[in-house]
Amino acid sequence: MNRTRKNLKKITFGAFLTLLVGLYSFSPKGKDIDPKPTKSTNVPIFIKVVYQGNDQVYNDYPLATDEFYNPILQGCYPDPAITRKGDDYYLVCSSFAMFPGVPIFHSKDLVNWTQIGHVLDRVSQLDVHDTGISQGVYAPGITYNPNNDTFYMITTAFAGGAGNIVVKTKDPAEGWSDPYHLKFNGIDPSLFFDDDGKAYIVHNDAPDPGKELYNGHRVIKIWEYDVEKDQVIEGTDKIIVDGGVDISDKPIWIEAPHIYKKDGEYYLMCAEGGTGDWHSEVIFMSDSPKGPYIPAPSNPILTQRYFPKERENKVDWAGHADLVLGPDDKYYGVFLAVRPNEENRVNTGRETFILPVDWSGTYPVFENGLVPMEPKLKMPEGVENKMGQEGYFPNGNFTYTEDFSSDLLDYRWIGLRGPREAFMEQTKNGLEINPFETNIKELKPTSTLFYRQQHRTFSFSTTLNYKPKSEKDLAGVVALQNERSNYVFGVTKKDKDYVLVLEKNSFSRRERSTKSEVLASTKIDISNPIELKISAEGDKYTFSYSTDGTSFENLGGTVSGDILSTDVAGGFTGALLGLYATKANDMALE
């Protein structure tokens, strides 16, 4: 059947995670990273960065005064989860091997969002020092427990032997505890706190041994949770969903479960179909938190899988959702989806979207979640759109300028596999990056400060003051999907000359290794700071430079962004744009 063949092509999130469980569940705890290695004598200084996004969809669909754009978080902010305390809303997303981990956002109205930090911001909470970029932290859940006035973040960490963990706090803006390690396997855990004070964890898991019926067959389990000990209660686990809505259809990758209580009934909402173009959201109901759960007759309640592939302003892969009651006493759902480019490639990654939810009947349904999604929404009554103003996170088309003069580095800047503070220092002259003896292709912390690609059409430029001493020294910019798929554009030295070079690193499936290729190089005058720029129009990327701050010259022509897309490079992240320095450059220059 066509659907069976189609399912074989999905990005099977659960399959990848099942493999990782075996590989990383028992890996030894890594050592803490030295926060300040010996400073190099030739430290590159990045004076300024300008990111400018200019997607045509936002030019074609200007906002009215009562509208806001969807997605609410552009770029690689996948697997959103949300909770509410009073008038305050908190949202978290997956971060994989990025550091710090689990970005957290705050809002009063579900339209205007401020990033207040990261949940896992210490090495004692998150050890990703030797993991691939698509390992690390998956699918966080955030839940407020009114019974003890405490917030909980629960997640699966495929690094450092952590497994499933929970951290907690009284105030999400004031930091989180070290992890409590939970005694169960599987992925995508979330917490539910009932009115009677009891607590439960639901999560995705493999079927019982010997009962896996097909590839992608998964189950949803529930455990009772001891709030005093922060641990599941041994022997209380139970399978509450086997396979999905209808196991006779062989549904794949039932995951990302959340339990809600409304009008005395319990609702279990899950993702189904894998995090590719068969992704969907489904709902079940029960009169008990431990089931049995009966699927709604109208599932799925959210999906974009049924529409023509060539539709305008395409949004796809919608699913992995969470519900919350909004300020207007109407329900809303946050979820991940993607906006592919003209080649149907996903360079901006899985992003966070929101839709109103109609729960006037027995089951909730995402409003306009079963038709092709539109780029903008009506705001809740009485809300003013301030995105991009007054410290609120921007969306739509915008320009972001950073001169690194603020005492606190913007939370959008992240490291990879380790703390930013291990290699960077903000000075009166700009941002200094102390280069590690690690290059971008290694499974180690890199001395690279990253910013997420948030548009299909964008430019990312930086002014660099740098004088390499040898061919091992390099500093510049990088466009990266993962450690095996990236472009490096930087200044190094060849004999007595200073050279600007563009390198492509791509993974060869035939040879099972990373192939490195210098696409272009040129001698360059570095007596004054130079400006480096990465630009893209959909799948077409260019790299250019300026020595006078005005006119730019292209190096390497136009290259494909294919290796910066998950469908080519694999994994679960979006493209990252980085300020990069290394003392382990290995480019082969002629």
Side-chain angles (χ1 to χ4, degrees), residues 202-337:
V202 286
H203 65 94
N204 160 295
D205 207 347
D208 290 338
K211 294 188 177 181
E212 182 175 352
L213 301 179
Y214 52 89
N215 183 32
H217 178 197
R218 302 290 283 181
V219 303
I220 301 298
K221 284 185 178 178
I222 190 167
W223 297 75
E224 295 179 23
Y225 183 73
D226 188 328
V227 177
E228 297 299 321
K229 297 180 180 179
D230 286 303
Q231 187 57 261
V232 293
I233 300 174
E234 188 175 354
T236 62
D237 56 311
K238 178 184 178 183
I239 294 175
I240 53 176
V241 173
D242 186 6
V245 169
D246 185 350
I247 197 168
S248 67
D249 286 340
K250 296 185 178 181
I252 59 172
W253 310 118
I254 191 78
E255 56 194 8
H258 293 281
I259 291 179
Y260 313 95
K261 190 174 185 179
K262 182 176 183 290
D263 300 330
E265 300 290 341
Y266 297 87
Y267 293 84
L268 174 68
M269 190 173 73
C270 305
E272 188 182 278
T275 191
D277 60 11
W278 202 249
H279 209 192
S280 70
E281 201 69 19
V282 296
I283 193 83
F284 306 77
M285 187 175 72
S286 177
D287 59 7
S288 166
K290 299 190 77 170
Y293 281 92
I294 308 302
S298 55
N299 279 315
I301 59 173
L302 166 71
T303 191
Q304 294 289 288
R305 68 192 181 197
Y306 297 119
F307 312 121
K309 288 188 175 182
E310 304 306 319
R311 60 189 182 273
E312 187 178 8
N313 300 320
K314 181 179 180 180
V315 174
D316 210 354
W317 301 12
H320 200 115
D322 197 5
L323 302 180
V324 71
L325 188 64
D328 52 1
D329 287 326
K330 181 181 179 68
Y331 280 88
Y332 290 81
V334 292
F335 57 96
L336 73 82

Side-chain angles (χ1 to χ4, degrees), residues 83-395:
T83 197
R84 175 183 182 179
K85 176 188 176 182
D87 296 331
D88 295 294
Y89 296 87
Y90 297 93
L91 184 151
V92 293
C93 302
S94 291
S95 55
F96 305 99
M98 304 170 200
F99 198 101
V102 187
I104 181 167
F105 300 85
H106 171 262
S107 179
K108 290 281 190 180
D109 51 32
L110 300 179
V111 172
N112 302 297
W113 292 92
T114 302
Q115 186 170 359
I116 60 173
H118 292 81
V119 177
L120 304 178
D121 59 4
R122 308 185 298 277
V123 174
S124 63
Q125 295 172 307
L126 177 64
D127 174 20
V128 287
H129 76 282
D130 60 354
T131 65
I133 194 173
S134 282
Q135 294 157 23
V137 176
Y138 291 87
I142 186 169
T143 312
Y144 172 67
N145 182 3
N147 303 314
N148 63 1
D149 188 28
T150 301
F151 292 86
Y152 295 76
M153 192 286 295
I154 187 170
T155 190
T156 310
F158 284 98
N164 289 298
I165 59 173
V166 65
V167 295
K168 57 185 183 178
T169 186
K170 294 290 186 180
D171 183 351
E174 295 298 325
W176 295 72
S177 71
D178 276 346
Y180 297 86
H181 294 266
L182 304 171
K183 297 177 181 178
F184 64 87
N185 296 317
I187 62 167
D188 292 11
S190 69
L191 277 157
F192 169 69
F193 300 101
D194 209 345
D195 305 331
D196 59 6
K198 289 186 176 181
Y200 304 86
I201 287 178
V202 286
H203 65 94
N204 160 295
D205 207 347
D208 290 338
K211 294 188 177 181
E212 182 175 352
L213 301 179
Y214 52 89
N215 183 32
H217 178 197
R218 302 290 283 181
V219 303
I220 301 298
K221 284 185 178 178
I222 190 167
W223 297 75
E224 295 179 23
Y225 183 73
D226 188 328
V227 177
E228 297 299 321
K229 297 180 180 179
D230 286 303
Q231 187 57 261
V232 293
I233 300 174
E234 188 175 354
T236 62
D237 56 311
K238 178 184 178 183
I239 294 175
I240 53 176
V241 173
D242 186 6
V245 169
D246 185 350
I247 197 168
S248 67
D249 286 340
K250 296 185 178 181
I252 59 172
W253 310 118
I254 191 78
E255 56 194 8
H258 293 281
I259 291 179
Y260 313 95
K261 190 174 185 179
K262 182 176 183 290
D263 300 330
E265 300 290 341
Y266 297 87
Y267 293 84
L268 174 68
M269 190 173 73
C270 305
E272 188 182 278
T275 191
D277 60 11
W278 202 249
H279 209 192
S280 70
E281 201 69 19
V282 296
I283 193 83
F284 306 77
M285 187 175 72
S286 177
D287 59 7
S288 166
K290 299 190 77 170
Y293 281 92
I294 308 302
S298 55
N299 279 315
I301 59 173
L302 166 71
T303 191
Q304 294 289 288
R305 68 192 181 197
Y306 297 119
F307 312 121
K309 288 188 175 182
E310 304 306 319
R311 60 189 182 273
E312 187 178 8
N313 300 320
K314 181 179 180 180
V315 174
D316 210 354
W317 301 12
H320 200 115
D322 197 5
L323 302 180
V324 71
L325 188 64
D328 52 1
D329 287 326
K330 181 181 179 68
Y331 280 88
Y332 290 81
V334 292
F335 57 96
L336 73 82
V338 298
R339 297 175 298 149
N341 63 25
E342 78 281 3
E343 298 291 340
N344 206 37
R345 292 174 179 147
V346 184
N347 293 42
T348 48
R350 300 174 303 156
E351 306 173 294
T352 290
F353 290 70
I354 192 169
L355 281 177
V357 173
D358 182 354
W359 208 338
S360 58
T362 303
Y363 297 98
V365 176
F366 286 74
E367 294 183 13
N368 297 319
L370 297 171
V371 297
M373 288 175 56
E374 297 292 332
K376 57 184 185 175
L377 296 171
K378 293 289 184 182
M379 288 187 293
E381 188 174 349
V383 176
E384 179 185 353
N385 189 345
K386 298 180 181 179
M387 290 293 273
Q389 309 169 35
E390 302 176 21
Y392 292 107
F393 207 74
N395 68 356

Side-chain angles (χ1 to χ4, degrees), residues 111 140 235 238 246 285 289 298 400 427 442 527 553 563 571 583:
V111 172
K238 178 184 178 183
D246 185 350
M285 187 175 72
S298 55
Y400 167 62
T427 73
E442 295 184 78
S527 55
E553 186 170 345
I563 65 168
K583 291 191 291 185

